[in-house]
Amino acid sequence: MKIRISVSEEKYAEVKAYLEEHGIETGEDSEYVITEFSRYPAFLSARDGRKERVRLSTDEVIFIEAFGKDIEIHTLRDTYLAQDRMYQLEFLLDPKEFLRVSKSVIISRRHVKKIRPSLSMKYVLTMTDGTLVDVTRSYYTDFRRFFNI
């Protein structure tokens, strides 16, 4: 039996060694594939300004903002409209990388440029695109834990 390995670079050598140790041949020309499973998708589905469906890498997402039923996904390139509700997006996104900071905003950890304390148990965040985002009191404790403040 021959198996193709489709896993992250960090785990590739370990998986390959394990399979070969157990007598399983590996190669690109095989019928079977071993892949790495992640509960959190690497892409989100959204619509661009022309209402065309696009796939956005979660690495590109700076923050997600809700205006009633309209959900906007902000990236450095553009703003896109999401089909899902905020609670659905919050569930989909990796909790190590994304955090809900108010009823209407989810931020990406890697795109927080500056954290400034504000009055009354709040924070104001400056994102990599220059947008200011408020962390509301309801999310204050979770935010502090997320950033080890």
Side-chain angles (χ1 to χ4, degrees):
M1 176 185 290
K2 196 173 197 180
I3 294 180
R4 181 165 48 102
I5 303 169
S6 178
V7 297
S8 64
E9 290 179 23
E10 299 86 38
K11 295 182 181 175
Y12 184 85
E14 178 185 351
V15 172
K16 183 174 180 162
Y18 179 84
L19 290 172
E20 289 175 351
E21 183 179 296
H22 288 83
I24 299 172
E25 188 180 350
T26 62
E28 294 300 313
D29 59 335
S30 67
E31 187 176 334
Y32 301 101
V33 180
I34 290 182
T35 61
E36 194 169 9
F37 175 76
S38 173
R39 176 191 174 296
Y40 306 107
F43 295 93
L44 294 177
S45 179
R47 296 203 181 267
D48 63 12
R50 296 175 299 196
K51 305 289 185 209
E52 294 178 8
R53 186 171 296 276
V54 294
R55 284 177 30 144
L56 298 173
S57 168
T58 54
D59 293 339
E60 294 179 63
V61 176
I62 298 171
F63 67 99
I64 302 170
E65 189 170 22
F67 299 98
K69 291 187 177 184
D70 296 329
I71 310 291
E72 293 182 352
I73 300 175
H74 297 268
T75 68
L76 288 173
R77 289 183 294 143
D78 207 352
T79 299
Y80 301 88
L81 298 175
Q83 304 298 310
D84 300 312
R85 299 285 146 237
M86 284 297 272
Y87 73 89
Q88 292 169 321
L89 290 169
E90 184 179 17
F91 178 76
L92 276 177
L93 296 167
D94 184 352
K96 293 177 185 160
E97 294 296 323
F98 292 90
L99 177 70
R100 194 161 187 170
V101 295
S102 72
K103 191 174 181 179
S104 60
V105 178
I106 298 171
I107 57 130
S108 168
R109 174 191 299 256
R110 72 181 66 186
H111 289 286
V112 174
K113 188 173 170 183
K114 186 160 75 172
I115 301 171
R116 191 181 74 217
S118 184
L119 298 174
S120 190
M121 291 178 58
K122 290 185 180 182
Y123 286 100
V124 177
L125 310 177
T126 304
M127 306 306 288
T128 53
D129 67 347
T131 304
L132 299 177
V133 174
D134 290 328
V135 177
T136 61
R137 287 188 310 173
S138 301
Y139 296 87
Y140 177 83
T141 305
D142 292 338
F143 177 80
R144 287 179 55 100
R145 193 174 310 120
F146 188 71
F147 281 99
N148 296 318
I149 298 175

